[in-house]
Amino acid sequence: MFDPIHLESFLAVVQTRNFTEAGRRLGLQQSTVSQHIRKLEARAERRLFVRDTHSVTLTADGEAMTGFAQTILDTNQRARRYFAGSQLRGRVRFGTSEDFVSTRLPELLREFVRQHALVDLELKVGVSAVLYGELDAGELDLVLAKRRNGDDRGQLVWRDRLAWVAAPGTQIGTPVPLILFNAPSITRSVALEAMERAGLTWRIACTSGSLSGLRAACLAGLGVTVHARGLMPEGLMEMPASAGLPTLGDVEFVVLGVRTGPRGPAAALAAAILANGDRLQRAG
């Protein structure tokens, strides 16, 4: 049998690609997380990660373990909730960025509502930068979104690479046609700053307040946009290096509550999101 504690550490490393970040999420020392992974690998008799000073990469056996680990932990969680029952009650105003609309977040929220029948869940879908403002204004209790540059608030759900994406066969010229969210937008700022650093000329070919609008413009061949590589909208692809577009770096997806920290239903929902971060990286 695999120890659920070791499996929790394993999934935290999978999602953050960083042993220190995984420990921070779980309230453990980095050395403890490393110990858990070593014991899990010994139990499985397989190497699950390849580590160097700059990266943490899953092996093929690690990829397989990811699905098994989530299934085992989900089953344990359902059993605990069945026998303990839920006395949680109240309201949670939850905001999420559109990045998660086509993932398994709706399934996770459905499970949360079913398990906590006395909790009223109010959902707001929007652009990350706007959700931050509404959280700070006291209009939301919890947010799942991209983390703004320089902001250290929130708990890391996972880190991904930003990519230039467009419809297959899209050709770009000069100036580069950009398809961007309306301001304020984190990915909009990242795209424009990258173009300026690279000294490239650009023009705004389309702006939209929704991800579906950006996708439609890309599918129409109007230009390129910026998106997390692991959550790429259907029908779009990453632009090849030969396109000559600048690198964009990584993006962090976090769950965060009010500055005093989420409590009650908001804290329970935050815990559910952190425990199921791997599910949110897959299509629903």
Side-chain angles (χ1 to χ4, degrees), residues 145-170:
K146 302 181 189 74
R147 179 147 58 187
R148 295 180 294 193
N149 288 335
D151 195 333
D152 60 358
R153 288 188 299 162
Q155 293 177 278
L156 181 65
V157 179
W158 84 88
R159 184 181 290 105
D160 202 352
R161 181 168 65 82
L162 285 173
W164 295 101
V165 302
T170 297

PDB file of all heavy atoms in Angstrom, residues 145-170:
ATOM      1  N   ALA A 145      -6.600  32.109  -9.867  1.00  0.00           N
ATOM      2  CA  ALA A 145      -6.202  32.929 -11.016  1.00  0.00           C
ATOM      3  C   ALA A 145      -4.695  32.933 -11.176  1.00  0.00           C
ATOM      4  O   ALA A 145      -3.961  32.340 -10.385  1.00  0.00           O
ATOM      5  CB  ALA A 145      -6.714  34.366 -10.816  1.00  0.00           C
ATOM      6  N   LYS A 146      -4.246  33.629 -12.221  1.00  0.00           N
ATOM      7  CA  LYS A 146      -2.813  33.833 -12.396  1.00  0.00           C
ATOM      8  C   LYS A 146      -2.315  34.786 -11.310  1.00  0.00           C
ATOM      9  O   LYS A 146      -3.057  35.666 -10.853  1.00  0.00           O
ATOM     10  CB  LYS A 146      -2.522  34.456 -13.768  1.00  0.00           C
ATOM     11  CG  LYS A 146      -3.003  33.660 -14.961  1.00  0.00           C
ATOM     12  CD  LYS A 146      -2.632  34.390 -16.237  1.00  0.00           C
ATOM     13  CE  LYS A 146      -3.280  33.751 -17.443  1.00  0.00           C
ATOM     14  NZ  LYS A 146      -4.735  34.057 -17.515  1.00  0.00           N
ATOM     15  N   ARG A 147      -1.056  34.620 -10.932  1.00  0.00           N
ATOM     16  CA  ARG A 147      -0.468  35.515  -9.939  1.00  0.00           C
ATOM     17  C   ARG A 147       0.226  36.675 -10.650  1.00  0.00           C
ATOM     18  O   ARG A 147       1.002  36.474 -11.579  1.00  0.00           O
ATOM     19  CB  ARG A 147       0.536  34.772  -9.064  1.00  0.00           C
ATOM     20  CG  ARG A 147       1.191  35.675  -8.027  1.00  0.00           C
ATOM     21  CD  ARG A 147       1.524  34.970  -6.748  1.00  0.00           C
ATOM     22  NE  ARG A 147       2.411  33.821  -6.902  1.00  0.00           N
ATOM     23  CZ  ARG A 147       2.710  32.980  -5.890  1.00  0.00           C
ATOM     24  NH1 ARG A 147       2.188  33.169  -4.691  1.00  0.00           N
ATOM     25  NH2 ARG A 147       3.518  31.956  -6.086  1.00  0.00           N
ATOM     26  N   ARG A 148      -0.050  37.876 -10.197  1.00  0.00           N
ATOM     27  CA  ARG A 148       0.567  39.056 -10.784  1.00  0.00           C
ATOM     28  C   ARG A 148       2.050  39.092 -10.479  1.00  0.00           C
ATOM     29  O   ARG A 148       2.501  38.663  -9.420  1.00  0.00           O
ATOM     30  CB  ARG A 148      -0.103  40.319 -10.233  1.00  0.00           C
ATOM     31  CG  ARG A 148      -1.553  40.456 -10.621  1.00  0.00           C
ATOM     32  CD  ARG A 148      -2.186  41.717 -10.058  1.00  0.00           C
ATOM     33  NE  ARG A 148      -2.279  41.686  -8.599  1.00  0.00           N
ATOM     34  CZ  ARG A 148      -3.014  42.545  -7.904  1.00  0.00           C
ATOM     35  NH1 ARG A 148      -3.681  43.493  -8.506  1.00  0.00           N
ATOM     36  NH2 ARG A 148      -3.052  42.455  -6.586  1.00  0.00           N
ATOM     37  N   ASN A 149       2.834  39.631 -11.414  1.00  0.00           N
ATOM     38  CA  ASN A 149       4.277  39.771 -11.202  1.00  0.00           C
ATOM     39  C   ASN A 149       4.542  40.600  -9.954  1.00  0.00           C
ATOM     40  O   ASN A 149       3.943  41.666  -9.760  1.00  0.00           O
ATOM     41  CB  ASN A 149       4.931  40.453 -12.406  1.00  0.00           C
ATOM     42  CG  ASN A 149       4.978  39.553 -13.620  1.00  0.00           C
ATOM     43  OD1 ASN A 149       4.968  38.337 -13.495  1.00  0.00           O
ATOM     44  ND2 ASN A 149       5.015  40.130 -14.805  1.00  0.00           N
ATOM     45  N   GLY A 150       5.426  40.114  -9.099  1.00  0.00           N
ATOM     46  CA  GLY A 150       5.765  40.841  -7.885  1.00  0.00           C
ATOM     47  C   GLY A 150       4.819  40.597  -6.735  1.00  0.00           C
ATOM     48  O   GLY A 150       5.041  41.117  -5.639  1.00  0.00           O
ATOM     49  N   ASP A 151       3.756  39.827  -6.957  1.00  0.00           N
ATOM     50  CA  ASP A 151       2.783  39.544  -5.897  1.00  0.00           C
ATOM     51  C   ASP A 151       3.114  38.191  -5.287  1.00  0.00           C
ATOM     52  O   ASP A 151       3.229  37.194  -6.004  1.00  0.00           O
ATOM     53  CB  ASP A 151       1.364  39.532  -6.479  1.00  0.00           C
ATOM     54  CG  ASP A 151       0.293  39.620  -5.405  1.00  0.00           C
ATOM     55  OD1 ASP A 151       0.554  39.197  -4.266  1.00  0.00           O
ATOM     56  OD2 ASP A 151      -0.806  40.126  -5.708  1.00  0.00           O
ATOM     57  N   ASP A 152       3.296  38.158  -3.975  1.00  0.00           N
ATOM     58  CA  ASP A 152       3.638  36.884  -3.334  1.00  0.00           C
ATOM     59  C   ASP A 152       2.464  36.295  -2.571  1.00  0.00           C
ATOM     60  O   ASP A 152       2.605  35.317  -1.845  1.00  0.00           O
ATOM     61  CB  ASP A 152       4.832  37.064  -2.389  1.00  0.00           C
ATOM     62  CG  ASP A 152       4.555  38.076  -1.283  1.00  0.00           C
ATOM     63  OD1 ASP A 152       3.452  38.675  -1.265  1.00  0.00           O
ATOM     64  OD2 ASP A 152       5.446  38.277  -0.448  1.00  0.00           O
ATOM     65  N   ARG A 153       1.286  36.886  -2.744  1.00  0.00           N
ATOM     66  CA  ARG A 153       0.116  36.355  -2.048  1.00  0.00           C
ATOM     67  C   ARG A 153      -0.358  35.055  -2.695  1.00  0.00           C
ATOM     68  O   ARG A 153      -0.101  34.778  -3.846  1.00  0.00           O
ATOM     69  CB  ARG A 153      -1.038  37.363  -2.072  1.00  0.00           C
ATOM     70  CG  ARG A 153      -0.831  38.560  -1.166  1.00  0.00           C
ATOM     71  CD  ARG A 153      -2.100  39.387  -1.106  1.00  0.00           C
ATOM     72  NE  ARG A 153      -2.477  39.914  -2.422  1.00  0.00           N
ATOM     73  CZ  ARG A 153      -3.680  40.362  -2.713  1.00  0.00           C
ATOM     74  NH1 ARG A 153      -4.632  40.337  -1.813  1.00  0.00           N
ATOM     75  NH2 ARG A 153      -3.926  40.846  -3.911  1.00  0.00           N
ATOM     76  N   GLY A 154      -1.098  34.295  -1.931  1.00  0.00           N
ATOM     77  CA  GLY A 154      -1.724  33.101  -2.459  1.00  0.00           C
ATOM     78  C   GLY A 154      -0.868  31.863  -2.309  1.00  0.00           C
ATOM     79  O   GLY A 154       0.321  31.920  -2.019  1.00  0.00           O
ATOM     80  N   GLN A 155      -1.500  30.721  -2.519  1.00  0.00           N
ATOM     81  CA  GLN A 155      -0.828  29.425  -2.470  1.00  0.00           C
ATOM     82  C   GLN A 155      -0.731  28.881  -3.888  1.00  0.00           C
ATOM     83  O   GLN A 155      -1.728  28.820  -4.616  1.00  0.00           O
ATOM     84  CB  GLN A 155      -1.603  28.449  -1.577  1.00  0.00           C
ATOM     85  CG  GLN A 155      -1.592  28.843  -0.102  1.00  0.00           C
ATOM     86  CD  GLN A 155      -2.436  27.891   0.721  1.00  0.00           C
ATOM     87  OE1 GLN A 155      -3.660  28.015   0.786  1.00  0.00           O
ATOM     88  NE2 GLN A 155      -1.787  26.923   1.355  1.00  0.00           N
ATOM     89  N   LEU A 156       0.460  28.481  -4.257  1.00  0.00           N
ATOM     90  CA  LEU A 156       0.705  28.025  -5.616  1.00  0.00           C
ATOM     91  C   LEU A 156      -0.024  26.716  -5.894  1.00  0.00           C
ATOM     92  O   LEU A 156       0.138  25.740  -5.177  1.00  0.00           O
ATOM     93  CB  LEU A 156       2.210  27.844  -5.833  1.00  0.00           C
ATOM     94  CG  LEU A 156       2.651  27.395  -7.221  1.00  0.00           C
ATOM     95  CD1 LEU A 156       2.325  28.460  -8.251  1.00  0.00           C
ATOM     96  CD2 LEU A 156       4.149  27.091  -7.218  1.00  0.00           C
ATOM     97  N   VAL A 157      -0.838  26.715  -6.945  1.00  0.00           N
ATOM     98  CA  VAL A 157      -1.510  25.494  -7.386  1.00  0.00           C
ATOM     99  C   VAL A 157      -0.608  24.767  -8.379  1.00  0.00           C
ATOM    100  O   VAL A 157      -0.357  23.587  -8.261  1.00  0.00           O
ATOM    101  CB  VAL A 157      -2.877  25.808  -8.029  1.00  0.00           C
ATOM    102  CG1 VAL A 157      -3.562  24.526  -8.496  1.00  0.00           C
ATOM    103  CG2 VAL A 157      -3.775  26.544  -7.040  1.00  0.00           C
ATOM    104  N   TRP A 158      -0.128  25.498  -9.389  1.00  0.00           N
ATOM    105  CA  TRP A 158       0.919  24.968 -10.252  1.00  0.00           C
ATOM    106  C   TRP A 158       1.517  26.073 -11.103  1.00  0.00           C
ATOM    107  O   TRP A 158       0.983  27.159 -11.215  1.00  0.00           O
ATOM    108  CB  TRP A 158       0.438  23.811 -11.125  1.00  0.00           C
ATOM    109  CG  TRP A 158      -0.253  24.168 -12.406  1.00  0.00           C
ATOM    110  CD1 TRP A 158       0.330  24.389 -13.615  1.00  0.00           C
ATOM    111  CD2 TRP A 158      -1.660  24.307 -12.622  1.00  0.00           C
ATOM    112  NE1 TRP A 158      -0.631  24.676 -14.564  1.00  0.00           N
ATOM    113  CE2 TRP A 158      -1.859  24.622 -13.976  1.00  0.00           C
ATOM    114  CE3 TRP A 158      -2.781  24.201 -11.784  1.00  0.00           C
ATOM    115  CZ2 TRP A 158      -3.121  24.836 -14.514  1.00  0.00           C
ATOM    116  CZ3 TRP A 158      -4.035  24.407 -12.322  1.00  0.00           C
ATOM    117  CH2 TRP A 158      -4.192  24.717 -13.663  1.00  0.00           C
ATOM    118  N   ARG A 159       2.666  25.753 -11.687  1.00  0.00           N
ATOM    119  CA  ARG A 159       3.392  26.686 -12.542  1.00  0.00           C
ATOM    120  C   ARG A 159       3.392  26.144 -13.962  1.00  0.00           C
ATOM    121  O   ARG A 159       3.552  24.954 -14.188  1.00  0.00           O
ATOM    122  CB  ARG A 159       4.831  26.856 -12.032  1.00  0.00           C
ATOM    123  CG  ARG A 159       5.644  27.876 -12.803  1.00  0.00           C
ATOM    124  CD  ARG A 159       7.071  27.972 -12.261  1.00  0.00           C
ATOM    125  NE  ARG A 159       7.097  28.591 -10.940  1.00  0.00           N
ATOM    126  CZ  ARG A 159       7.277  27.934  -9.808  1.00  0.00           C
ATOM    127  NH1 ARG A 159       7.454  26.619  -9.818  1.00  0.00           N
ATOM    128  NH2 ARG A 159       7.304  28.559  -8.644  1.00  0.00           N
ATOM    129  N   ASP A 160       3.215  27.031 -14.935  1.00  0.00           N
ATOM    130  CA  ASP A 160       3.166  26.614 -16.328  1.00  0.00           C
ATOM    131  C   ASP A 160       3.988  27.588 -17.167  1.00  0.00           C
ATOM    132  O   ASP A 160       4.345  28.677 -16.708  1.00  0.00           O
ATOM    133  CB  ASP A 160       1.713  26.593 -16.819  1.00  0.00           C
ATOM    134  CG  ASP A 160       1.503  25.696 -18.031  1.00  0.00           C
ATOM    135  OD1 ASP A 160       2.501  25.195 -18.598  1.00  0.00           O
ATOM    136  OD2 ASP A 160       0.339  25.490 -18.418  1.00  0.00           O
ATOM    137  N   ARG A 161       4.267  27.197 -18.388  1.00  0.00           N
ATOM    138  CA  ARG A 161       5.003  28.066 -19.304  1.00  0.00           C
ATOM    139  C   ARG A 161       4.033  28.819 -20.193  1.00  0.00           C
ATOM    140  O   ARG A 161       3.082  28.238 -20.714  1.00  0.00           O
ATOM    141  CB  ARG A 161       5.970  27.238 -20.158  1.00  0.00           C
ATOM    142  CG  ARG A 161       6.800  28.074 -21.118  1.00  0.00           C
ATOM    143  CD  ARG A 161       7.923  27.250 -21.724  1.00  0.00           C
ATOM    144  NE  ARG A 161       7.459  26.174 -22.557  1.00  0.00           N
ATOM    145  CZ  ARG A 161       7.091  26.333 -23.844  1.00  0.00           C
ATOM    146  NH1 ARG A 161       7.106  27.519 -24.399  1.00  0.00           N
ATOM    147  NH2 ARG A 161       6.690  25.285 -24.541  1.00  0.00           N
ATOM    148  N   LEU A 162       4.261  30.118 -20.344  1.00  0.00           N
ATOM    149  CA  LEU A 162       3.445  30.900 -21.269  1.00  0.00           C
ATOM    150  C   LEU A 162       3.948  30.683 -22.691  1.00  0.00           C
ATOM    151  O   LEU A 162       5.153  30.538 -22.931  1.00  0.00           O
ATOM    152  CB  LEU A 162       3.518  32.393 -20.914  1.00  0.00           C
ATOM    153  CG  LEU A 162       2.727  32.830 -19.681  1.00  0.00           C
ATOM    154  CD1 LEU A 162       3.018  34.285 -19.359  1.00  0.00           C
ATOM    155  CD2 LEU A 162       1.227  32.620 -19.884  1.00  0.00           C
ATOM    156  N   ALA A 163       3.028  30.661 -23.626  1.00  0.00           N
ATOM    157  CA  ALA A 163       3.389  30.409 -25.024  1.00  0.00           C
ATOM    158  C   ALA A 163       2.603  31.344 -25.941  1.00  0.00           C
ATOM    159  O   ALA A 163       1.500  31.797 -25.619  1.00  0.00           O
ATOM    160  CB  ALA A 163       3.090  28.958 -25.387  1.00  0.00           C
ATOM    161  N   TRP A 164       3.210  31.626 -27.086  1.00  0.00           N
ATOM    162  CA  TRP A 164       2.495  32.309 -28.167  1.00  0.00           C
ATOM    163  C   TRP A 164       1.671  31.253 -28.894  1.00  0.00           C
ATOM    164  O   TRP A 164       2.209  30.236 -29.339  1.00  0.00           O
ATOM    165  CB  TRP A 164       3.475  32.952 -29.142  1.00  0.00           C
ATOM    166  CG  TRP A 164       4.291  34.065 -28.552  1.00  0.00           C
ATOM    167  CD1 TRP A 164       5.584  33.994 -28.123  1.00  0.00           C
ATOM    168  CD2 TRP A 164       3.878  35.421 -28.356  1.00  0.00           C
ATOM    169  NE1 TRP A 164       6.003  35.214 -27.648  1.00  0.00           N
ATOM    170  CE2 TRP A 164       4.973  36.116 -27.782  1.00  0.00           C
ATOM    171  CE3 TRP A 164       2.695  36.123 -28.591  1.00  0.00           C
ATOM    172  CZ2 TRP A 164       4.920  37.460 -27.454  1.00  0.00           C
ATOM    173  CZ3 TRP A 164       2.625  37.467 -28.267  1.00  0.00           C
ATOM    174  CH2 TRP A 164       3.726  38.131 -27.701  1.00  0.00           C
ATOM    175  N   VAL A 165       0.381  31.456 -29.005  1.00  0.00           N
ATOM    176  CA  VAL A 165      -0.475  30.457 -29.642  1.00  0.00           C
ATOM    177  C   VAL A 165      -1.307  31.100 -30.737  1.00  0.00           C
ATOM    178  O   VAL A 165      -1.595  32.306 -30.709  1.00  0.00           O
ATOM    179  CB  VAL A 165      -1.389  29.750 -28.620  1.00  0.00           C
ATOM    180  CG1 VAL A 165      -0.562  29.076 -27.523  1.00  0.00           C
ATOM    181  CG2 VAL A 165      -2.381  30.716 -28.012  1.00  0.00           C
ATOM    182  N   ALA A 166      -1.694  30.293 -31.707  1.00  0.00           N
ATOM    183  CA  ALA A 166      -2.494  30.767 -32.838  1.00  0.00           C
ATOM    184  C   ALA A 166      -3.116  29.555 -33.514  1.00  0.00           C
ATOM    185  O   ALA A 166      -2.869  28.406 -33.128  1.00  0.00           O
ATOM    186  CB  ALA A 166      -1.611  31.534 -33.827  1.00  0.00           C
ATOM    187  N   ALA A 167      -3.919  29.800 -34.544  1.00  0.00           N
ATOM    188  CA  ALA A 167      -4.488  28.706 -35.321  1.00  0.00           C
ATOM    189  C   ALA A 167      -3.386  28.056 -36.156  1.00  0.00           C
ATOM    190  O   ALA A 167      -2.428  28.720 -36.552  1.00  0.00           O
ATOM    191  CB  ALA A 167      -5.595  29.241 -36.228  1.00  0.00           C
ATOM    192  N   PRO A 168      -3.488  26.756 -36.413  1.00  0.00           N
ATOM    193  CA  PRO A 168      -2.492  26.094 -37.261  1.00  0.00           C
ATOM    194  C   PRO A 168      -2.350  26.812 -38.607  1.00  0.00           C
ATOM    195  O   PRO A 168      -3.335  27.219 -39.217  1.00  0.00           O
ATOM    196  CB  PRO A 168      -3.072  24.683 -37.443  1.00  0.00           C
ATOM    197  CG  PRO A 168      -3.920  24.475 -36.233  1.00  0.00           C
ATOM    198  CD  PRO A 168      -4.516  25.804 -35.929  1.00  0.00           C
ATOM    199  N   GLY A 169      -1.105  26.983 -39.043  1.00  0.00           N
ATOM    200  CA  GLY A 169      -0.850  27.602 -40.328  1.00  0.00           C
ATOM    201  C   GLY A 169      -0.807  29.117 -40.306  1.00  0.00           C
ATOM    202  O   GLY A 169      -0.586  29.748 -41.348  1.00  0.00           O
ATOM    203  N   THR A 170      -0.986  29.732 -39.126  1.00  0.00           N
ATOM    204  CA  THR A 170      -0.965  31.194 -39.037  1.00  0.00           C
ATOM    205  C   THR A 170       0.416  31.737 -39.376  1.00  0.00           C
ATOM    206  O   THR A 170       1.424  31.258 -38.851  1.00  0.00           O
ATOM    207  CB  THR A 170      -1.374  31.662 -37.628  1.00  0.00           C
ATOM    208  OG1 THR A 170      -2.716  31.264 -37.371  1.00  0.00           O
ATOM    209  CG2 THR A 170      -1.273  33.182 -37.503  1.00  0.00           C
TER     210      THR A 170
END
